[in-house]
Amino acid sequence: MMGNASYWGPVARKFADRIRLSAPDLPGHGQSPDWPGTPDFHTHTTRAVAPLIDRPMDLIGHSIGATVALRIAVAAPEAVRSLTLIEPVLFAAAPDPANDAVMEELNMLVETGQNAEAARRFLAIWGGLDWSSQTETGRERLARQMRLVVAGNKALMRDDAHILREGGLEGIDAPVLIVMGEDSPPVIADIADALAARLPDVGRARVPGAAHMLPITHPAQVTELIGLNLDRA
């Protein structure tokens, strides 16, 4: 969210001799077309990614991408050879009043046209990005994308996709690895606990000194962990 597929470049280069990595941009990001408004952002994103899966594949997702990968795995476990979830933001798995308050504040800012302020606050928590160092064009892009953030967060807080339905997580028989940063927002650890408790074959990893954007800030460690899960598959 609010990035583009090029951020996976360091990870992809380390795997150049091992796997073919496809990293599509989210709707409204990078080179992808904008979100048309319907269906909901998470469903539209999932439908954009799902056609890429033409055989059992290794799904690797970060943040909202991890929730899309998990949604696909729940819906079609036979399509997944391994599943690596980096900082999954499925907020419905571990409702947290403090996190809910932050999300409601972001919603209010976007609804009242204060997109730039919403982006600044969002990125201070989740982006690890210095707002003041961005170019004017960059700030305008990030502010514009906040409506997509809000739309995605609403679905994740309510679990509109029913990812957490009874028997769903339990039906994933592929090896799963949940990766998080040591300095990530506290809700991430709670989400990881909730998901791990229901997954049949799951490993956990915490990257020291990393926060939410660890695929960018700690690509070597993330690549090594992904590789371990590929080995398990």
Side-chain angles (χ1 to χ4, degrees), residues 11-24 51-60 81 230:
V11 173
R13 285 190 289 273
K14 290 180 181 295
F15 279 129
D17 297 330
R18 183 170 184 184
I19 61 173
R20 184 184 69 188
L21 193 149
S22 299
L52 300 176
I53 303 173
D54 57 3
R55 63 191 181 281
M57 296 182 73
D58 303 290
L59 299 187
I60 305 163
R81 191 175 70 168
L230 296 177

Side-chain angles (χ1 to χ4, degrees), residues 62-67 86-92 126 152-153 156-157 187-188 191 195 212:
H62 170 237
S63 195
I64 192 171
T67 70
I86 305 169
E87 297 267 316
V89 288
L90 187 54
F91 299 120
W126 296 101
N153 283 343
L156 296 172
M157 293 173 71
V187 69
I188 291 294
I191 293 170
L195 297 178
H212 185 63

Side-chain angles (χ1 to χ4, degrees), residues 31-108:
Q31 300 182 55
S32 288
D34 202 359
W35 172 48
T38 56
D40 70 87
F41 184 76
H42 201 274
T43 297
H44 180 74
T45 301
T46 304
R47 289 179 180 176
V49 174
L52 300 176
I53 303 173
D54 57 3
R55 63 191 181 281
M57 296 182 73
D58 303 290
L59 299 187
I60 305 163
H62 170 237
S63 195
I64 192 171
T67 70
V68 171
L70 187 59
R71 180 174 181 173
I72 292 170
V74 167
E78 71 281 358
V80 181
R81 191 175 70 168
S82 72
L83 183 63
T84 303
L85 306 174
I86 305 169
E87 297 267 316
V89 288
L90 187 54
F91 299 120
D96 176 80
N99 182 68
D100 292 349
V102 171
M103 296 306 170
E104 286 303 319
E105 184 177 26
L106 293 177
N107 292 346
M108 181 273 293

Side-chain angles (χ1 to χ4, degrees), residues 152-163:
N153 283 343
K154 288 180 179 178
L156 296 172
M157 293 173 71
R158 300 186 301 244
D159 189 25
D160 288 351
H162 305 295
I163 298 171

Side-chain angles (χ1 to χ4, degrees), residues 168-185:
L169 297 176
E170 291 81 357
I172 300 173
D173 59 0
V176 181
L177 177 64
I178 302 176
V179 182
M180 58 175 288
E182 183 180 51
D183 301 326
S184 295

